[in-house]
Amino acid sequence: MSLLVVGSIALDSVATPFGETADEPGGSAVFFSAAGSILHPVQVVGVIGSDYPLAVLKGLERRGVDLSGVEQAQGESFRWRAKYSYDLSSRETLETRLGVFAQFRPKLPEKFRNARYAFLGNIDPELQLGVLDQVAHPALVACDTMNYWIQSKRDMLLELLRHIDLLMINDSEARELSGDWNIYRAAQWVLAHGPRMVVIKQGEHGALLVDGTSIFKAPAYPLQEVFDPTGAGDAFAGGFMAYLASTDDLSPPNLRRAMIYGAAMGSFAVEAFGVKGFDNVTPADVRARVRVFKELVHFDMDGEKSA
Amino acid sequence: MSLLVVGSIALDSVATPFGETADEPGGSAVFFSAAGSILHPVQVVGVIGSDYPLAVLKGLERRGVDLSGVEQAQGESFRWRAKYSYDLSSRETLETRLGVFAQFRPKLPEKFRNARYAFLGNIDPELQLGVLDQVAHPALVACDTMNYWIQSKRDMLLELLRHIDLLMINDSEARELSGDWNIYRAAQWVLAHGPRMVVIKQGEHGALLVDGTSIFKAPAYPLQEVFDPTGAGDAFAGGFMAYLASTDDLSPPNLRRAMIYGAAMGSFAVEAFGVKGFDNVTPADVRARVRVFKELVHFDMDGEKSA
């Protein structure tokens, strides 16, 4: 059950209260596949410049990530520079240099076109639609976006929504897209515009899965040490999609479990800079965190026995 | 199993994007007992001025609230005026007039002194300690506080912590009290200073119960309409404590259920101005929301059957 991700492959320079990085490999496709490949093989489509360090990508390959859709173009890799506030609750983007990403036109290798699960990371919605045209019969297409596209390519984004199954966005993006500050009404707005499911990421407060009949709340993993929030959302997406691909089960109970696997992956992402938080993480480590989530939220109704 | 609350009985003037109130009965003891009395009788200790409208208090009495500990003093009642931001995520206190509250020295009627469950609402920690001296053998003493006391009476507050079982505070207060922005470390700081349990209220993101061995996360009830957040925390406390008093069971599973009953009560509080959200709410209504919470957070581990 092949799993495809299209997204950025970046070099991040991030400052947190605990240190800083320079040109640390990151980007949505990298965080997604670093997390997802712990559970299931991942096919990546993206672009790197002539200056990209290949060691991290080789590491991903060793974990079952197929990089045959990663194009190396002449020029500079995509770079992003940001600084977090003292409590990590907000960040400021200091610089974005698109480099080779500016000319990126995703082209799927023939063997990726039968992907059953596809995640379209946060890129131009026009390119996301272009990717969709190249995937034959996906069981589930999920998609991220960001404020920049909501503002600059709203019509294209609305067109995209008509063609995807699940939109996965931050709470602030959901509010901006829908024009509604109530997160549950914002979710209903999304459902009325195409997708049958929406995942709203709430950072340190977890994430919501909303469909036409139910709401599921996954909390964030209780961490006493958070080092760098960068990539948590993409790691969440990687865990969510890889769990679905590995089980090939889109039933409501399995979607709920996928949310928890996503939340577990988000917690590994924030424990170190870049994708280092995933070094040596095994499926058993992930399952151990899933059990902690169960303990974190479980309660019995009066008069019921404990599960 | 008697349940005692000591706290403010106020007249609130609140402006939200949806309307405003003038001299609406509120205050911690009023929200606590409006919520709690749906599940269990509540004994109230507090003070009102000569100008306090008695209709709301009569309404509480009809629901099983014992007001024999409410003293009426010559002078003006405690008044609080505040304005919420457009998205209700923050508020500004415009005016606080203590009135008769400035001279308040809580004195428990003889019949209140055997209270088994006691909640010390947010008042001067010196007065909270004075109340504790008047309660004979409580099974559980829980206590609220606020930034003002953390700053101005820190030593007295630390003394109080050595004598209570449970501290129930907002996340921002937990951070200020502990000097730690990580909420889980802040909780451990509280546990190291006396209480064996701490509840950290997170507003629209729910609440955490932390003790020496486990963490429980209660989400907030998913509401598409929030009218006025005032009193949600005190209503939470009322639901939490009244559920414990009505069951007289301090086992970990029952404490978790109490958190959910608290969260349900918080949701009624925010659906209307003042305590109007509790008008006509029955225990069955509360239990219906508790079932929604179960559906909101429930997931099965892989290979398990649904509970």
Side-chain angles (χ1 to χ4, degrees), chain B residues 9 11 23 47-54 71-79 97-103:
Chain B
I9 303 175
L11 295 172
D23 285 350
V47 64
I48 56 175
S50 37
D51 56 352
Y52 204 86
L54 297 178
E71 171 193 341
Q72 187 158 28
Q74 277 300 319
E76 198 185 48
S77 296
F78 178 55
R79 280 178 169 79
R97 279 151 64 190
L98 290 178
V100 295
F101 206 68
Q103 303 302 323

Side-chain angles (χ1 to χ4, degrees), chain B residues 241-264:
Chain B
M241 293 295 288
Y243 184 78
L244 290 179
S246 71
T247 53
D248 196 28
D249 170 2
L250 291 173
S251 68
N254 207 52
L255 284 160
R256 289 177 169 229
R257 275 191 291 275
M259 289 286 290
I260 299 295
Y261 275 86

Side-chain angles (χ1 to χ4, degrees), chain A residues 225-245:
Chain A
E225 302 286 346
V226 175
F227 198 74
D228 174 12
T230 306
D234 296 308
F236 179 98
F240 178 85
M241 293 295 287
Y243 184 78
L244 291 178

Side-chain angles (χ1 to χ4, degrees), chain B residues 203-219:
Chain B
E204 62 168 322
H205 296 293
L208 290 167
L209 169 66
V210 182
D211 64 19
T213 59
S214 86
I215 305 175
F216 176 65
K217 167 81 185 189

